[in-house]
Amino acid sequence: MGASLSFPEVDLAGKVAIVTGGNTGIGYETSKALARMGAHVVLACRSEERAKNAIEKMKSELAEAKPVSGEDIKIEFMALDLTSLASARDFAKAYLARNLPLHLLILNAGIAMIDPLQMTDDGLEKMFQVNYLGHLLILLYLLELLKSNGPDVRVVSVASAAYKMGLFDLTNMDGSKSYGRAKFYGNSKLYQIMMTFHLQKKLSDSGISFFSLHPGIVSTEITRGFNDSKFWMAFTKASRGIGVSRNAEKGAATTINAAVNPEFANQKALYFEDCKAVVPGKHARNESDHEELWAYSVNLLRRYIDDDCLAKLNEMGLTIRADSPSEAAAVDPSKQESQDVKEKADD
């Protein structure tokens, strides 16, 4: 509520940025700011119509503002549906096929407070996949490209202070034992922060900075996920009333600052709130949990990672076994262990 939300105006001419969910809310304001600074911005989102409308609106708004770099505004759309892991893979491979560089990857798209429990066609809890796992798959495909454009390339994950409500529990990743909208939203945001720390540790000499952040309580389309809840709607209304809630422009400030501020060049595994680097809670920094989350996640993703990507990841020190199970069903670890025993017996 009195936080100073600001970021420097930096010349980003020659830089390329991907912003998932860049057509609305925080993603829209982030994309517009990066484009104003001269970056070539790719809006990765589901609806081409909505993306193109957003691009036209951005260009109209930016026509009234002098671009920082003096460059022409470059904003474009590429299709991405994070409810489909195949779509996430196809987006990343389509981007690689264009032979564009990449300097900023803003993992912004998200959904919140889904109730009742919803599963994707991939068999995964929806917030887990959209907020975390689909983004991880894109990142794995684009890591080598990011590394090749370093140093000081950045991956920025828009998480949330809701991670404090999260719990890493491998026995209930799919919500089959128990499910609560706030808990599982918090879980998905916790995983984003955990993976930021894990990847930074594994790729500490890569020239890639992995950041995550809490944008604040922001009034955007993400609140549509709890329009049916009297409690959460009352909370949102009260937040606006006492001045805690931010509009999308102010909500994007922490993302933009993490992405462009020269002060953070080549910094490692930072977590931001109110445009400042702070230390997240201990449960987000547990290295043993990081390893377990990594193993669980890549097991789910293995069938979407082609051999070329697999080889490059292994060369970078991100070990993914070529013989990892290819069926990416969201399963209880005890059931997976039983299945592994059965497969060994069948051999």
Side-chain angles (χ1 to χ4, degrees):
M1 191 157 75
S4 175
L5 302 173
S6 63
F7 52 85
E9 295 290 332
V10 179
D11 187 344
L12 297 179
K15 305 293 187 182
V16 183
I18 294 173
V19 182
T20 68
N23 64 311
T24 187
I26 293 172
Y28 177 92
E29 296 296 340
T30 300
S31 299
K32 185 172 70 171
L34 297 178
R36 188 184 70 249
M37 295 183 206
H40 175 175
V41 181
V42 176
L43 274 59
C45 40
R46 284 189 301 174
S47 169
E48 182 173 5
E49 180 182 1
R50 293 188 68 191
K52 289 187 173 180
N53 289 340
I55 290 169
E56 289 306 310
K57 183 181 177 185
M58 281 184 213
K59 288 182 175 180
S60 175
E61 292 171 350
L62 290 173
E64 302 173 9
K66 184 179 179 181
V68 173
S69 67
E71 296 285 318
D72 292 337
I73 300 300
K74 298 177 184 176
I75 315 171
E76 63 171 303
F77 160 79
M78 286 185 68
L80 168 65
D81 180 358
L82 287 164
T83 66
S84 164
L85 291 175
S87 175
R89 175 201 60 204
D90 293 347
F91 166 81
K93 294 182 80 168
Y95 187 86
L96 291 171
R98 297 182 61 187
N99 294 314
L100 287 171
L102 182 61
H103 306 89
L104 296 170
L105 178 58
I106 314 296
L107 304 176
N108 164 83
I111 53 176
M113 305 297 184
I114 301 299
D115 192 61
L117 171 66
Q118 292 182 24
M119 310 299 283
T120 67
D121 289 343
D122 295 300
L124 300 166
E125 190 273 314
K126 195 169 186 179
M127 288 186 285
F128 170 81
Q129 179 168 325
V130 171
N131 297 350
Y132 163 69
L133 195 67
H135 279 138
L136 178 60
L137 180 57
I138 293 169
L139 175 55
L140 294 180
Y141 269 97
L142 298 180
L143 274 174
E144 187 189 46
L145 177 61
L146 284 160
K147 182 181 178 182
S148 71
N149 285 280
D152 193 25
V153 293
R154 306 184 192 186
V155 177
V156 180
S157 294
V158 181
S160 168
Y163 85 86
K164 296 172 185 177
M165 298 187 292
L167 175 68
F168 177 54
D169 178 6
L170 279 175
T171 69
N172 192 37
M173 299 293 277
D174 62 355
S176 58
K177 289 186 176 181
S178 62
Y179 177 81
R181 64 169 80 192
K183 172 68 72 176
F184 272 71
Y185 175 64
N187 288 352
S188 70
K189 296 302 173 178
L190 173 63
Y191 306 149
Q192 286 181 287
I193 299 169
M194 290 170 65
M195 194 52 58
T196 293
F197 280 93
H198 182 71
L199 290 174
Q200 192 72 82
K201 179 182 178 182
K202 294 295 185 182
L203 301 172
S204 60
D205 298 324
S206 65
I208 307 172
S209 294
F210 296 90
F211 298 156
S212 57
L213 62 95
H214 168 53
I217 301 172
V218 186
S219 181
T220 66
E221 284 192 8
I222 199 168
T223 60
R224 65 183 179 271
F226 49 82
N227 283 342
D228 62 324
S229 169
K230 291 182 179 179
F231 171 81
W232 288 109
M233 289 301 292
F235 173 78
T236 302
K237 185 176 180 179
S239 297
R240 293 194 192 106
I242 63 175
V244 174
S245 179
R246 301 169 181 169
N247 61 24
E249 184 176 6
K250 290 182 179 179
T254 301
T255 302
I256 300 163
N257 192 48
V260 308
N261 196 324
E263 178 184 345
F264 307 124
N266 301 308
Q267 295 292 304
K268 302 181 188 300
L270 297 181
Y271 171 76
F272 296 88
E273 293 185 0
D274 295 333
C275 292
K276 297 179 180 66
V278 298
V279 179
K282 289 182 180 179
H283 71 306
R285 295 181 281 117
N286 185 305
E287 292 188 3
S288 176
D289 286 351
H290 297 169
E291 293 285 353
E292 290 190 19
L293 177 62
W294 168 256
Y296 180 81
S297 301
V298 296
N299 181 57
L300 294 176
L301 293 175
R302 176 61 190 93
R303 63 174 169 174
Y304 297 97
I305 301 173
D306 64 28
D307 290 342
D308 181 56
C309 180
L310 182 68
K312 291 173 180 175
L313 291 171
N314 286 332
E315 286 175 11
M316 294 177 73
L318 291 173
T319 305
I320 301 176
R321 297 197 331 268
D323 60 346
S324 293
S326 61
E327 289 302 317
V331 296
D332 184 300
S334 62
K335 294 178 183 177
Q336 181 65 56
E337 183 177 351
S338 299
Q339 181 64 26
D340 290 345
V341 171
K342 180 181 184 300
E343 290 174 355
K344 289 178 182 176
D346 289 343
D347 289 342

